Amino acid sequence: MSRKSLIARCFVMGALSLAAATSASAAMTVGTFLAKAAPLRANPFTALTNPDYQVLKAEADAATRELRAEGAARQAAGKPPIACMPDGEKIGILQMLGGLDALSPADKKLPLKQGYAKVLSRTYPC
């Protein structure tokens, strides 16, 4: 595994694992998330020292936690899931970013959680 790939994977794990104190009302849009992630993606060797790294980690984790909670609530209410991810499967930050990149310009104006939900539903349809 190359060093660039290893750093990118660290970004993946960190972005989805950090406990965030970000409220839903302060959530950034998909477009803002991608714009802040662009310099980190362009130069992964300095990603961990970039001030936006912690912000992006917090945002990605908050969106993930909120979607998990929403999924549990939907299941408890007997509603269909947003996505049908196989047990034990995880989406990495690079796959998440690729999915967010592929969203329409209108979808990139959505809050990150909603954009990420679209990515998950397209990646793991039910």
Side-chain angles (χ1 to χ4, degrees):
M1 177 181 306
S2 72
R3 184 174 178 165
K4 186 175 183 178
S5 176
L6 181 59
I7 290 171
R9 285 181 187 261
C10 288
F11 179 70
V12 168
M13 293 184 302
L16 297 177
S17 66
L18 180 69
T22 304
S23 69
S25 63
M28 69 174 61
T29 66
V30 171
T32 301
F33 186 85
L34 290 171
K36 287 183 174 286
L40 280 67
R41 293 167 81 183
N43 194 357
F45 295 113
T46 61
L48 296 175
T49 61
N50 186 307
D52 284 333
Y53 176 74
Q54 293 298 326
V55 173
L56 294 173
K57 282 174 54 174
E59 288 289 333
D61 190 59
T64 300
R65 278 195 331 275
E66 290 169 13
L67 286 171
R68 283 185 184 141
E70 187 176 318
R74 290 178 67 84
Q75 183 178 16
K79 294 181 179 179
I82 294 168
C84 293
M85 185 180 289
D87 288 338
E89 186 84 16
K90 292 185 179 188
I91 191 167
I93 192 68
L94 296 178
Q95 187 178 5
M96 176 189 180
L97 290 169
L100 294 173
D101 281 334
L103 292 175
S104 71
D107 287 341
K108 289 180 181 176
K109 295 177 183 175
L110 294 172
L112 181 61
K113 179 187 122 183
Q114 290 176 315
Y116 188 33
K118 285 184 177 267
V119 170
L120 290 173
S121 69
R122 290 176 183 168
T123 306
Y124 301 104
C126 295

